[in-house]
Amino acid sequence: MDALRRINICTGLREGEALLQYSQDNGFPDGPLTVYYRFSRGAFANEEDVALKPAEDGKKLLRTHPDVERVRRCHQNDLETAVPLVLVGLLHTLTGPELSSAQLHFGLFTGARLLHSISYLGALPQPCRALPWMLGMGINFSMVCRVLYTVLVL
């Protein structure tokens, strides 16, 4: 049960971080970070977002902005990695790993994804974003190997 608790903590942290970036383009209301960038950069996605502005000013605000798109892409990337973490992590947990193994896998993955998001949003030069991504993929691969080994050998 300790490993299950660990994945719950790490998944909760990851989803909490993703909540800050919610993007309307993904079918969710904008989160605080997206709203900040939309207002500070004057870039809105929908006509109803600028309905209280004069028509001419509203049309100027219906545009994309690189910073808003960066937050949106970062959020999309977070969503794409959340599903594998939950599925593979749950399967890994069901194999009854040592607590230290579960802590290592889930803790490193969570840290790697947070570093990835920070480097993505901060537009840090490569390999600042690529290295945490590779670490996260390696951890997922390690958990998949553990699951397959446990299922096929036992």
Side-chain angles (χ1 to χ4, degrees), residues 111-129:
R113 290 307 305 172
L114 289 174
L115 284 174
H116 181 272
S117 292
I118 290 168
S119 62
Y120 206 130
L121 294 173
L124 300 178
Q126 290 289 12
C128 293
R129 193 173 80 226

Side-chain angles (χ1 to χ4, degrees), residues 69-91:
E69 290 303 305
R70 178 172 290 279
V71 172
R72 196 180 65 72
R73 286 190 312 270
C74 183
H75 175 66
Q76 181 177 350
N77 191 281
D78 280 342
L79 289 177
E80 290 168 355
T81 61
V83 174
L85 169 67
V86 171
L87 294 177
V88 173
L90 183 59
L91 291 174

Side-chain angles (χ1 to χ4, degrees), residues 18-121:
L19 279 174
L20 292 175
Q21 304 171 43
Y22 267 140
S23 172
Q24 221 168 17
D25 300 331
N26 291 328
F28 298 102
D30 284 345
L33 193 57
T34 310
V35 168
Y36 168 75
Y37 278 105
R38 285 196 187 284
F39 276 92
S40 68
R41 305 317 194 256
F44 297 91
N46 302 302
E47 291 181 16
E48 61 269 16
D49 297 340
V50 295
L52 298 177
K53 300 276 186 191
E56 204 169 293
D57 291 340
K59 286 183 181 179
K60 291 178 186 175
L61 296 174
L62 288 175
R63 62 188 181 89
T64 60
H65 190 279
D67 293 341
V68 175
E69 290 303 305
R70 178 172 290 279
V71 172
R72 196 180 65 72
R73 286 190 312 270
C74 183
H75 175 66
Q76 181 177 350
N77 191 281
D78 280 342
L79 289 177
E80 290 168 355
T81 61
V83 174
L85 169 67
V86 171
L87 294 177
V88 173
L90 183 59
L91 291 174
H92 176 68
T93 300
L94 293 174
T95 64
E98 296 281 333
L99 179 58
S100 60
S101 172
Q103 288 175 329
L104 183 68
H105 281 92
F106 301 138
L108 281 175
F109 185 87
T110 302
R113 290 307 305 172
L114 289 174
L115 284 174
H116 181 272
S117 292
I118 290 168
S119 62
Y120 206 130
L121 294 173

